[in-house]
Amino acid sequence: MMAYTVAFTQHHGKNRQYPKQQDCLWNGLDVLQERDLIAASYVTDQQRLVIAVADGVGSSPRAELASYCVLQAMACEIAVGADFNMGLIRRIHGKLCDAYAKGRTFGCATTLAAAELNDNRCVILNVGDSRVYRISAEGVWQQLSHDHTIINAMIESGEAEAGRDYGLFLHSLDSCLVADDDYTDFAIHRAEIPLQPGDSLLLCTDGVHDALPEAIFHQLFDSMLTPAAQVERWRQAVLDAGAPDNLSLLLVRRAA
């Protein structure tokens, strides 16, 4: 029987322009949207575990409603046995539109990064730039999600070169979930890998990976720490770096 430790934390950040928590996370048990949630964890041996983070797009109206709606819809679908696939994301987008594609909430938007762990199989789905990483028991990092940004789309089409420095604007999103019935051509990225004993899966919003340089982010990982202690370590590093954006972190470790 497999066992997973799930650790999680949130903070609304230190940017006074955005006093509300626009991030949301689903730890497999609860959908959470807290301004300041200290690191916590639980252990589960359920065969199927689904977790997710969502980051309300700050330039959209009532972004916190979009992130919460999307994760609440996902939790409800999974609770009744829905398959974890791209069709699930399309249905969730429909529910976002049903709830908010009207009046002052029209156009509210969010990213989404979600993972399903089932036996040795791990499936990743993401829209936008919230990320999922696999960290092997040996400490090797692998980004499983894909950042849906303008610059990445340009690189894929040959209009830009990987590794070159481009303007900040080009790092803006080119896909997310928007409360707009006409916006249906958003991209969904899918990846599937095995998750071995001792491996960890990290889900985080851009308030984490934008605040910490990748090298430091990796250096702060210590396989000897408990998942809760590791999540707290990253959280504190983001706060020490100024935490200019909301942050959400989820770390799942498969028992060795």
Side-chain angles (χ1 to χ4, degrees):
M1 183 178 294
M2 294 184 193
Y4 300 101
T5 301
V6 183
F8 47 94
T9 188
Q10 285 186 308
H11 195 280
H12 73 286
K14 298 181 179 181
N15 189 339
R16 295 183 180 180
Q17 184 179 355
Y18 300 107
K20 292 185 178 180
Q21 173 60 279
Q22 296 174 330
D23 277 7
C24 195
L25 70 80
W26 177 32
N27 62 14
L29 296 176
D30 302 301
V31 176
L32 302 171
Q33 192 170 52
E34 303 291 337
R35 283 175 55 84
D36 189 2
L37 178 67
I38 61 173
S41 66
Y42 73 93
V43 177
T44 179
D45 61 2
Q46 59 185 305
Q47 181 178 352
R48 186 194 195 200
L49 174 65
V50 180
I51 55 174
V53 295
D55 178 8
V57 178
S59 58
S60 72
R62 299 303 303 273
E64 74 281 1
L65 297 179
S67 60
Y68 188 86
C69 176
V70 161
L71 292 198
Q72 188 65 46
M74 176 173 281
C76 290
E77 289 250 3
I78 294 299
V80 296
D83 290 335
F84 187 80
N85 54 28
M86 293 185 183
L88 171 65
I89 307 303
R90 297 290 177 189
R91 292 196 304 276
I92 288 171
H93 175 250
K95 292 181 179 181
L96 174 65
C97 292
D98 289 345
Y100 295 121
K102 53 195 172 186
R104 294 183 178 180
T105 57
F106 177 84
C108 64
T110 183
T111 67
L112 172 67
E116 178 192 48
L117 292 75
N118 198 339
D119 291 328
N120 292 323
R121 174 174 170 267
C122 177
V123 177
I124 304 302
L125 296 170
N126 87 277
V127 182
D129 62 356
S130 290
R131 291 183 181 174
V132 183
Y133 296 91
R134 172 183 175 262
I135 310 171
S136 74
E138 297 75 31
V140 178
W141 287 63
Q142 177 187 8
Q143 183 175 335
L144 304 176
S145 57
H146 175 77
D147 290 355
H148 293 116
T149 58
I150 296 172
I151 185 60
N152 278 349
M154 292 176 65
I155 291 171
E156 291 167 4
S157 67
E159 299 175 81
E161 297 178 20
R164 286 193 58 185
D165 191 18
Y166 292 90
L168 186 62
F169 170 76
L170 294 183
H171 293 272
S172 301
L173 295 174
D174 75 344
S175 273
C176 56
L177 300 177
V178 184
D180 180 347
D181 290 295
D182 293 329
Y183 184 74
T184 58
D185 60 347
F186 56 87
I188 305 173
H189 175 75
R190 182 187 185 277
E192 180 175 344
I193 60 160
L195 198 68
Q196 304 295 342
D199 287 357
S200 298
L201 201 67
L202 167 65
L203 283 70
C204 63
T205 56
D206 67 352
V208 177
H209 62 75
D210 282 354
L212 294 179
E214 188 169 294
I216 294 176
F217 197 18
H218 293 191
Q219 289 170 9
L220 290 171
F221 179 74
D222 183 348
S223 61
M224 300 303 292
L225 292 176
T226 66
Q230 179 63 66
V231 162
E232 181 59 34
R233 189 181 203 183
W234 279 323
R235 164 196 164 95
Q236 191 56 53
V238 174
L239 293 175
D240 290 345
D245 196 2
N246 304 158
L247 68 96
S248 291
L249 273 164
L250 263 169
L251 183 69
V252 179
R253 181 172 299 160
R254 181 179 169 185

